[in-house]
Amino acid sequence: MTGTSQNWPHAPVEVGLVGAGPWARAVHARVLAAGPETRLTSVWARRPEAARATAAPYGAGVAATFEELLDGCEAVAFAVPPAVQAQLAPQAAKAGKALLLEKPIALDLPSARRLVGAIDTAGVVSQLVLTNRYHPVTQQFLKAAQGLDTVGARSCCLSGAFLGGDFATPWRLEHGALLDLGPHLLDLLDAALGPIVRVRGAGDVRRWIELTCEHESGAVSQASLSGAVELERGLMRVELFGRHPEHVFDSSALDHEELWPVLRREFATAVRTGRSGAIDAHRGLYLQTLMAHALDS
């Protein structure tokens, strides 16, 4: 469903892609090239052969340097490790480019703050690829949650991605599930139950980590995170409890193709209006702050 968006009244946003790994090939290049809101102009990666393989199916160009990519686009999408994103994205912001950022926005809190500072100084649009937030089912779950008197929640994001395969990458193996999977659950719990004012972590980020969150509303939530457990398929589930029937979000049955047109249109709309949406770099910094507190607890 990457090409099923409604009519788009503007010129497509010209987007350059940084990165040519599995996620860049499977998602970013394909989704951005589908339009009509965006057009994939070129790809730059540190491995030129990978950039060519990523760009070729869509007739996009291959930039010889990052600077060349910036010269040929009005927005930049990043599909690279967080440390690389935190290094390059401020340069793109300084060049006046809108930014489509991956989570986490950086490997550590100081780097995340520098990135957001660069975005604010440049005054450019930013958006975060928190995939679940763009799915219509997730949006319905969160809308219904706003009217509930929830006192507690439990959630999990579990997979075997770190055990082998395309996503057992060095940064994930080193920094574990909190940075990779944590943004998804913390974002959903915060959106469903209200601002998180305190978070504590226990366990091993490379094996299994458990988070306990206290919300401004008085609700308490828990999140179990692991990328190192043997599962047939990944599991992401949020359960809300209170003076209401159990309210559940479960991503296992979702058609993830439904979210990409929503994400693409929201990003293009933000670029064309010059106004970032709620899921922007500041949201990424907020989530990074929560994860840092969890590590320090």
Side-chain angles (χ1 to χ4, degrees), residues 243-263:
R243 300 184 64 177
H244 54 77
E246 179 186 14
H247 184 51
V248 177
F249 168 78
D250 190 334
S251 70
S252 60
L254 297 185
D255 177 2
H256 287 84
E257 288 303 304
E258 294 184 32
L259 71 88
W260 304 123
V262 179
L263 186 155

Side-chain angles (χ1 to χ4, degrees), residues 14 16-18 41-42 44 63 65-78 88-99:
E14 306 279 334
L17 173 60
V18 176
T41 59
S42 61
W44 176 76
T65 65
F66 179 57
E67 290 72 21
E68 182 180 317
L69 179 120
L70 294 181
D71 288 341
C73 66
E74 56 184 313
V76 181
F78 290 88
L88 296 177
Q91 298 179 44
K94 187 176 181 180
K97 310 303 177 182
L99 305 178

Side-chain angles (χ1 to χ4, degrees), residues 266-277:
E266 288 194 13
F267 180 58
T269 299
V271 175
R272 287 289 171 254
T273 61
R275 295 191 298 272
S276 299

